[in-house]
Amino acid sequence: MKKNILKINNLSITTKVNTNLYLVDSISFSVKEGKTTCIVGESGSGKSLTALSIIRLLSPQLKMSGEILFNNEDICKMSELEIRQKRGLDIAMIFQEPMTSLNPVLTIGYQIKEAITVHSDSPNNEINKKVEELLMLVGIPIERVNSYPDELSGGQRQRVMIAMAMSCNPNLLIADEPTTALDVTVQAQILKLLDDLKSKLNMSMLFITHDFGVVEDIADDVIVMFKGKIVERGVVNQVLKKPKHPYTKALLGCVPDALGKKQLTPIDYEKLDRAMQRI
Amino acid sequence: MKKLLQTNNLSKTYVQTQGFFSRVRTNIHALDSVSFSINQGTTMAVVGESGSGKSTLAKSLVRLVKLDKGSVKFNGIDLLSLEGEKLKSVRKDIQMIFQDPYASLNPRLNILQIMEEPLLIHNYLDIDARRKKIEDFIERVGLSVSDLKKYPHQFSGGQRQRIGIARALILEPKLVICDEPVSALDVSVQAQILKLLKDLQKEFGLTYLFITHDLRIVRHVADDVMVMRHGKLVEEGKTDIIFKNPKNQYTKDLIQSIPGLISKRN
């Protein structure tokens, strides 16, 4: 039995204005060490809020309650200073849109270096060496170290984001739709890269996506979210092949598959409501 | 089967200049001798990565991009030589559905005005007939007549895409060019829109040129598929045949990259 690196107990997120409006409604799950857990759901299901709450980057207008245990320490109880030391060092995050997450007026080398110097006092030449290692790790030629983000393609930018996230060998990597903005071929490369890095560095991953194809490729465990609640969870094959919850079934019916000519069935929300009430 | 659209050697080169005095000039071949044809009532999918020239192709067919070379025959008419009133009358027959439903609707017009605009441009002068037509189409795409008073920001992404579809179809076009119509949408909404497009095709006998980068969708909507790369057409044929037996290495790579198909690690 693997150890849980992240354990979330009864996490709820509401707005400060209306504390009865649950954006995330008492969810509990855990991420096992060295494994990839995927959160799947439509927009508005609360998957990104869940991710942001783990590194405490929620908007100040939102209020969260519950327990987020990372290596048995409760992130919710940490001071601002403590969580800052965790961010990047122990928990790193990759965002969806690589262009908006990189600073357009700084070279990528500088930005990767910055990620390292926040958590380390090593001398300059060691850090420069580390930057080169990281670029090599994610497959960007070292000559590009002085390039600006706009000189890189979308896939390369996402690689830079991954290099920054890897800079301090985090235990947990949160990836919020890291391949949604990319072409399929590039997406396949990035997924492979993340999976390789995960095994090489013995990292755990919390991967957020709305694409069941991506889930099939990368996940060990899957969590399906709907309207702020977890409706189904389990090992990837079980959830995708033998879904139990009516919502998971309905959502899978919407996914086009590449193998055969499966009929697409849009979700019939009235039927879904009735099915969910029976549970 | 009748060919609705037939193109021959479409080419378009963009010139990129670098440096203050524009000394360095690079030619980008957005379209490089692309020839294909679409049969009436079928769906032709165009796949390729960003920068492969798919959107330039779509824009050239509605004459939003001026081609350097090539000819387009639409319904027996030479499309590229048309000017003025004649061009306008053909434009009615070729409509476009855009990728981003947030950017393609004017935020200052309500839905009635948005839907009315194409009719006004094409001189549908009778107010009652116009109103009747708008009401028919808005209901056909699954919205209600009371929605006509609302503004785009009051709708969700999927609803906006429905409005975009209603606006494109209200002139009863023959060819509809769909430029990534579902890539900005959730998978559940995507299924709804794809079904809607399919139903409308049956009802109105539409012909689609369907641009997408998602091969799983191609499999579901397209009769034929063309694969583009760097402005060139690398492979073309019946969807089933291309998926089962791709000949070109690039097509093989694309099919290999479909998420969910990559052989799972250990």
Side-chain angles (χ1 to χ4, degrees), chain A residues 21 50 71 75 94 130 134 144 259:
Chain A
L21 182 67
T50 307
N71 278 336
I75 287 177
I94 307 172
K130 175 88 186 164
L134 285 166
R144 302 308 294 261
L259 293 171

Side-chain angles (χ1 to χ4, degrees), chain B residues 81-110:
Chain B
S81 66
L82 294 177
E83 293 295 338
E85 277 303 313
K86 275 195 183 135
L87 174 61
K88 194 172 154 186
S89 72
V90 175
R91 276 211 162 124
K92 201 177 78 173
D93 291 333
I94 309 177
Q95 290 291 315
M96 217 166 152
I97 298 168
F98 297 95
Q99 171 171 9
D100 187 349
Y102 293 85
S104 55
L105 301 175
N106 186 337
R108 294 180 182 234
L109 300 183
N110 65 29

Side-chain angles (χ1 to χ4, degrees), chain A residues 3 19 34 95 136 149 164 168 183 222 260 269:
Chain A
K3 198 177 109 199
T19 45
F95 299 91
M136 241 151 50
M164 287 165 72
C168 301
D183 271 328
V222 185
Y269 284 95

Side-chain angles (χ1 to χ4, degrees), chain A residues 44-263:
Chain A
S45 60
K47 50 193 200 309
S48 288
L49 287 177
T50 307
L52 287 173
S53 64
I54 295 169
I55 47 172
R56 289 248 306 258
L57 283 179
L58 277 182
S59 144
Q61 275 141 28
L62 298 177
K63 187 172 159 282
M64 67 175 185
S65 59
E67 252 185 346
I68 301 176
L69 296 174
F70 176 72
N71 278 336
N72 295 324
E73 284 178 277
D74 192 350
I75 287 177
C76 298
K77 295 207 179 74
M78 283 179 192
S79 69
E80 194 52 38
L81 190 72
E82 282 171 309
I83 182 70
R84 258 180 129 167
Q85 281 161 356
K86 286 262 178 289
R87 275 185 210 140
L89 187 65
D90 296 325
I91 309 175
M93 185 148 176
I94 307 172
F95 299 91
Q96 175 172 359
E97 201 8 278
M99 196 57 209
T100 47
S101 357
L102 289 168
N103 189 334
V105 298
L106 300 173
T107 63
I108 58 160
Y110 184 90
Q111 292 185 60
I112 297 173
K113 200 168 158 179
E114 202 176 25
I116 306 170
T117 40
V118 171
H119 295 292
S120 141
D121 305 321
S122 315
N124 206 14
N125 55 348
E126 261 177 49
I127 293 181
N128 285 339
K129 227 180 111 211
K130 175 88 186 164
V131 170
E132 285 184 7
E133 277 170 26
L134 285 166
L135 284 177
M136 241 151 50
L137 189 71
V138 297
I140 292 181
I142 293 167
E143 307 87 80
R144 302 308 294 261
V145 66
N146 289 321
S147 299
Y148 290 89
D150 65 282
E151 296 171 322
L152 304 175
S153 68
Q156 280 177 318
R157 283 178 209 149
Q158 199 56 284
R159 283 169 196 266
V160 173
M161 291 300 296
I162 294 172
M164 287 165 72
M166 293 299 146
S167 62
C168 301
N169 299 338
N171 295 323
L172 175 67
L173 177 70
I174 303 171
D176 188 359
E177 310 229 10
T179 58
T180 309
L182 305 174
D183 271 328
V184 268
T185 44
V186 185
Q187 165 167 293
Q189 291 164 13
I190 297 284
L191 290 178
K192 174 122 196 348
L193 173 68
L194 282 172
D195 208 44
D196 288 349
L197 289 174
K198 192 198 81 174
S199 12
K200 209 191 275 178
L201 308 172
N202 194 26
M203 191 169 63
S204 316
M205 208 159 29
L206 182 66
F207 198 101
I208 293 170
T209 180
H210 63 256
D211 189 330
F212 276 100
V214 172
V215 172
E216 207 169 337
D217 283 341
I218 202 157
D220 296 303
D221 300 304
V222 185
I223 291 167
V224 183
M225 282 186 79
F226 179 52
K227 292 185 177 168
K229 289 196 175 88
I230 293 179
V231 295
E232 182 149 6
R233 68 181 86 212
V235 184
V236 60
N237 279 332
Q238 180 240 310
V239 174
L240 294 187
K241 301 271 147 56
K242 287 182 201 138
K244 290 200 190 83
H245 195 274
Y247 176 71
T248 319
K249 285 179 194 162
L251 195 58
L252 281 165
C254 296
V255 182
D257 69 329
L259 293 171
K261 283 237 168 189
K262 181 180 90 177
Q263 199 67 40

Side-chain angles (χ1 to χ4, degrees), chain B residues 29-218:
Chain B
H29 298 283
L31 287 178
D32 194 350
S33 321
V34 176
S35 310
F36 67 97
S37 59
I38 311 178
N39 289 328
Q40 183 142 22
T42 62
T43 302
M44 163 74 93
V46 186
V47 282
E49 295 173 68
S50 23
S52 61
K54 331 187 273 294
S55 291
T56 307
L57 179 71
K59 284 181 191 156
S60 71
L61 295 179
V62 285
R63 292 274 304 260
L64 288 173
V65 163
K66 203 169 175 304
L67 288 165
D68 299 335
K69 252 197 339 224
S71 66
V72 179
K73 259 213 156 90
F74 173 74
N75 217 2
I77 313 164
D78 181 8
L79 195 65
L80 300 184
S81 66
L82 294 177
E83 293 295 338
E85 277 303 313
K86 275 195 183 135
L87 174 61
K88 194 172 154 186
S89 72
V90 175
R91 276 211 162 124
K92 201 177 78 173
D93 291 333
I94 309 177
Q95 290 291 315
M96 217 166 152
I97 298 168
F98 297 95
Q99 171 171 9
D100 187 349
Y102 293 85
S104 55
L105 301 175
N106 186 337
R108 294 180 182 234
L109 300 183
N110 65 29
I111 306 311
L112 180 67
Q113 290 167 313
I114 288 174
M115 302 262 301
E116 203 169 30
E117 218 170 6
L119 293 175
L120 289 173
I121 291 170
H122 290 283
N123 306 320
Y124 286 76
L125 294 175
D126 182 40
I127 295 182
D128 293 330
R130 220 161 51 207
R131 176 85 198 194
K132 170 97 184 34
K133 209 166 171 138
I134 293 170
E135 286 176 0
D136 281 353
F137 273 92
I138 203 78
E139 282 181 343
R140 186 60 200 83
V141 298
L143 298 171
S144 70
V145 175
S146 59
D147 289 329
L148 289 171
K149 291 195 292 283
K150 293 185 189 162
Y151 286 83
H153 72 263
Q154 292 170 288
F155 293 96
S156 68
Q159 286 173 321
R160 283 182 221 205
Q161 200 56 293
R162 286 171 193 270
I163 296 165
I165 292 171
R167 177 180 62 179
L169 294 188
I170 200 159
L171 290 168
E172 296 174 34
K174 296 193 175 72
L175 174 67
V176 180
I177 298 172
C178 313
D179 191 356
E180 309 241 12
V182 293
S183 49
L185 305 175
D186 257 337
V187 61
S188 54
V189 185
Q190 179 177 305
Q192 292 168 7
I193 298 290
L194 290 177
K195 183 159 186 306
L196 175 66
L197 286 171
K198 226 171 192 173
D199 293 348
L200 292 168
Q201 180 170 38
K202 245 181 243 158
E203 193 175 333
F204 297 101
L206 297 170
T207 308
Y208 289 135
L209 181 71
F210 199 102
I211 297 177
T212 180
H213 63 260
D214 191 333
L215 281 103
R216 289 173 290 182
I217 292 175
V218 171

